[in-house]
Amino acid sequence: MKRKNIIVSILLALCVSPSFFVSCSKNLDINQDPNNPKDVPENLMLTALLSNFSYEVVGGYPVRISSLWTKHLAGAIAGNHEGNYLIKASDVNNLWESYSYTDVMNNAYILKNKATANGNPNYSAIAKIVLAWDLSIMTDLFGDIPYSDAFRGGEGLRPKYDSQEDIYKSIQSLLDEAITEASNNNNALKPGADDFLYQGKMENWIALAHSLKARYHLRLSNAPGKTASAQAKLALDELAKGAIVKDNQPAFKYLASTAGENPWYQYAIDGKWAVTTRPSQYYVNKLVANNDPRLAYQATKVVAGANVDPANVGKYNGVTNEAPGDVIANYSAIAPFYSAKDAKLYWMVFPEIDFIKAESEYLIANKTVTPTVKNAYEKAIRSSMDFYGISAADANTYLASHALSTNAAIAYEQIMTEKYISNYLMVESYNDTRRTGYPNLPINNELYPGQTKLDQPPRINQIPVRFPYPSSERLYNSDNVPSAISIDPVKAIVIPVWWNSK
């Protein structure tokens, strides 16, 4: 990605380091510019918005926790932690207060209003897409959330909560408006190098907006008052209008320089947090058993070194949510494709489009396996292999041993399991497992080989189906927090969100 504005680039590079969050919020928070607090130009707003959304939300807390619950990853440490379903109300405060509502959604709201007032519809379009996307992540994790009453300055300190059903209506409306505004070719100010995702190519933003609309239509396949086939038809109709492809899938490029590295590198590799978050034993064993060539791009093989058992060298070895039996170097890490210093952070991958099509065709066919469903399934797997650059020959070999079953129930599980593998380290996998029940994941109570009992059993006997509401909301906005959701996180995280409650 080209960086023409060197000063902004340096600031944003610093901003992807957690140690710089406080200073960056002062330098880049578009609510206050110390040099000109009432007139921050749209280009600076946009770079800050995209950078914050990428690091703090798409590559931040939501995916770190959901990847533990979908068993993409595990936390190899002793005692209670998120991997065995300990999540406290205070744990989600930063995501809610600082990251999503302040750094992303409020700033997106301000940007869209400013761009509209200045007659710059392309900037408004991007702001609305980011706002809609963050809204979806927050409502999918928490359920009912503030939106319509949330961005009124001092008057909005205690905003009412909108129902998740209404939030989804707002999301679709925002995306519809964004598509229209992104298509506007007037002589207004245009994004360029300040657009770190697409460098101002609005046709790519339009394709992304259609892709998100399709995703969200399918999200409601089991929602109360909805029918799966109708939602699937809406998803396919949206994709017919446009969708991301390999060359324009949204990916944020990080830097190999200190403090500008990829979020997964900072979180799981170089030790800014820990080096114990690694591919799970369940996930690694599953892909090894399937001879899945994608594993090489998702996890590393163990390499020789001090205190590394020679028997482990050259093998994939996953961790569990317990203190490991050996030093951590005996276990696979997240592969460089995702965790190198300068690895791209994919916000959405193009194979998801083909998996949306495969599932939608299955649902439209009344959950039967037709030739159209079979072809869509195979195309989705080929796209997933192509995403990593795996050869067509290897994809054919994999498909030969993973043909779609003629049994409808088994076929659905196959479609969703393959999508789960394709959407490695993405929150969407957590949404899909809740929505469909596939893949049928065991709770996080694995034992390492040789262990006879767990050091710390899971706190609940199921995979959590939501995040608890933040303690800050309980403290400052208690009258509006939905009363049906317990203040006790252990009880709250087993209550399904609206679209998952049918």
Coordinates of all heavy atoms in Angstrom, one line a residue, residues 55 59 64-65 68 73 82 262-277 334:
Y55 N -7.2 -2.1 13.8 CA -6.4 -2.6 15.0 C -7.3 -2.9 16.2 O -7.1 -4.0 16.8 CB -5.4 -1.6 15.3 CG -4.4 -2.1 16.4 CD1 -3.2 -2.8 16.0 CD2 -4.6 -2.0 17.7 CE1 -2.3 -3.3 16.9 CE2 -3.8 -2.5 18.7 CZ -2.6 -3.1 18.2 OH -1.7 -3.7 19.2
G59 N -9.1 -6.6 14.3 CA -8.0 -7.4 14.8 C -7.8 -7.4 16.2 O -6.7 -7.8 16.8
R64 N -10.0 -12.0 19.2 CA -9.2 -12.7 20.2 C -10.0 -13.7 21.0 O -9.6 -14.8 21.3 CB -8.4 -11.7 21.0 CG -7.4 -10.9 20.3 CD -6.7 -9.9 21.2 NE -6.0 -8.9 20.4 CZ -5.6 -7.7 20.8 NH1 -5.9 -7.4 22.1 NH2 -4.9 -6.9 20.1
I65 N -11.1 -13.2 21.5 CA -12.0 -14.0 22.4 C -12.8 -15.0 21.6 O -12.8 -16.2 21.9 CB -12.9 -13.1 23.2 CG1 -12.1 -12.1 24.0 CG2 -13.8 -13.9 24.2 CD1 -11.0 -12.6 24.8
L68 N -11.0 -18.1 20.6 CA -10.9 -19.1 21.7 C -12.2 -20.0 21.8 O -12.1 -21.2 22.0 CB -10.6 -18.4 23.0 CG -9.3 -17.7 23.1 CD1 -9.3 -16.9 24.4 CD2 -8.1 -18.6 23.1
L73 N -8.2 -21.1 18.2 CA -7.1 -20.9 19.1 C -7.4 -21.5 20.5 O -8.6 -21.8 20.8 CB -6.8 -19.4 19.2 CG -6.5 -18.7 17.9 CD1 -6.2 -17.2 18.2 CD2 -5.2 -19.3 17.2
E82 N -10.3 -16.5 29.5 CA -11.3 -16.4 28.5 C -11.5 -17.8 27.8 O -12.6 -18.1 27.3 CB -11.1 -15.3 27.5 CG -11.1 -13.9 28.0 CD -9.8 -13.4 28.4 OE1 -8.9 -14.2 28.7 OE2 -9.6 -12.2 28.4
N262 N 1.6 -6.0 12.6 CA 0.3 -6.7 12.5 C -0.2 -7.0 13.9 O 0.5 -7.3 14.8 CB 0.4 -8.0 11.7 CG -0.7 -8.9 11.8 OD1 -0.9 -9.6 12.8 ND2 -1.5 -8.9 10.7
P263 N -1.5 -6.8 14.2 CA -2.1 -7.1 15.5 C -1.8 -8.5 16.0 O -1.5 -8.7 17.2 CB -3.6 -6.9 15.4 CG -3.7 -6.0 14.2 CD -2.6 -6.3 13.3
W264 N -1.9 -9.5 15.2 CA -1.6 -10.9 15.7 C -0.2 -11.0 16.1 O 0.2 -11.8 17.0 CB -2.0 -11.9 14.6 CG -3.5 -12.1 14.6 CD1 -4.4 -11.9 13.5 CD2 -4.4 -12.7 15.6 NE1 -5.7 -12.2 13.9 CE2 -5.7 -12.7 15.1 CE3 -4.1 -13.2 16.9 CZ2 -6.8 -13.2 15.9 CZ3 -5.2 -13.7 17.6 CH2 -6.5 -13.7 17.1
Y265 N 0.7 -10.4 15.3 CA 2.1 -10.4 15.7 C 2.3 -9.8 17.1 O 3.0 -10.4 17.9 CB 3.0 -9.7 14.7 CG 4.4 -9.6 15.1 CD1 5.3 -10.6 14.9 CD2 4.9 -8.4 15.7 CE1 6.6 -10.5 15.3 CE2 6.2 -8.3 16.2 CZ 7.1 -9.3 15.9 OH 8.4 -9.3 16.3
Q266 N 1.7 -8.7 17.3 CA 1.9 -8.0 18.6 C 1.2 -8.8 19.7 O 1.8 -8.9 20.8 CB 1.3 -6.6 18.5 CG 2.0 -5.7 17.6 CD 1.6 -4.2 17.9 OE1 1.4 -3.8 19.0 NE2 1.5 -3.4 16.8
Y267 N 0.1 -9.4 19.4 CA -0.7 -10.1 20.5 C -0.1 -11.5 20.8 O -0.1 -11.9 22.0 CB -2.1 -10.2 20.0 CG -3.0 -11.0 21.0 CD1 -3.2 -10.4 22.3 CD2 -3.6 -12.2 20.7 CE1 -4.0 -11.1 23.2 CE2 -4.4 -12.9 21.6 CZ -4.6 -12.3 22.8 OH -5.4 -13.0 23.7
A268 N 0.3 -12.3 19.8 CA 0.6 -13.7 20.0 C 2.0 -14.1 19.7 O 2.4 -15.2 20.1 CB -0.4 -14.5 19.2
I269 N 2.8 -13.3 19.1 CA 4.1 -13.7 18.6 C 5.3 -13.1 19.4 O 6.1 -13.8 20.0 CB 4.3 -13.5 17.1 CG1 3.2 -14.2 16.3 CG2 5.7 -13.9 16.7 CD1 3.2 -15.7 16.5
D270 N 5.3 -11.7 19.5 CA 6.5 -11.1 20.0 C 6.4 -10.8 21.5 O 7.3 -10.3 22.1 CB 6.8 -9.8 19.3 CG 6.0 -8.6 19.7 OD1 4.9 -8.8 20.2 OD2 6.4 -7.5 19.6
G271 N 5.3 -11.2 22.1 CA 5.2 -11.1 23.6 C 4.7 -9.8 24.2 O 4.9 -9.6 25.4
K272 N 4.1 -8.9 23.4 CA 3.6 -7.7 24.0 C 2.5 -8.1 25.0 O 2.3 -7.4 26.0 CB 3.1 -6.7 22.9 CG 4.2 -5.9 22.2 CD 3.6 -4.9 21.3 CE 4.7 -4.0 20.7 NZ 5.6 -4.8 19.9
W273 N 1.8 -9.2 24.7 CA 0.8 -9.7 25.6 C 1.3 -11.0 26.2 O 1.6 -11.2 27.3 CB -0.6 -9.9 24.9 CG -1.4 -8.7 24.8 CD1 -2.4 -8.3 25.7 CD2 -1.4 -7.7 23.8 NE1 -2.9 -7.1 25.3 CE2 -2.4 -6.8 24.1 CE3 -0.7 -7.6 22.6 CZ2 -2.6 -5.7 23.2 CZ3 -0.9 -6.6 21.7 CH2 -1.9 -5.6 22.1
A274 N 1.4 -12.0 25.3 CA 1.9 -13.3 25.7 C 2.2 -14.1 24.4 O 1.9 -13.7 23.3 CB 0.8 -14.1 26.5
V275 N 2.8 -15.3 24.6 CA 3.1 -16.1 23.4 C 2.3 -17.5 23.6 O 2.6 -18.5 22.9 CB 4.6 -16.4 23.2 CG1 5.3 -15.1 22.9 CG2 5.2 -17.0 24.5
T276 N 1.3 -17.5 24.5 CA 0.6 -18.7 24.8 C -0.7 -18.9 24.1 O -1.3 -19.9 24.2 CB 0.4 -18.8 26.3 OG1 -0.2 -17.5 26.7 CG2 1.7 -19.0 27.1
T277 N -1.1 -17.9 23.3 CA -2.3 -18.0 22.5 C -1.9 -18.6 21.1 O -1.2 -18.0 20.3 CB -3.0 -16.7 22.3 OG1 -3.3 -16.1 23.5 CG2 -4.2 -16.8 21.4
I334 N 0.6 -19.4 15.5 CA -0.1 -18.9 14.4 C 0.8 -18.6 13.2 O 1.9 -18.0 13.5 CB -0.9 -17.6 14.7 CG1 -1.9 -17.8 15.9 CG2 -1.6 -17.0 13.5 CD1 -2.4 -16.5 16.5

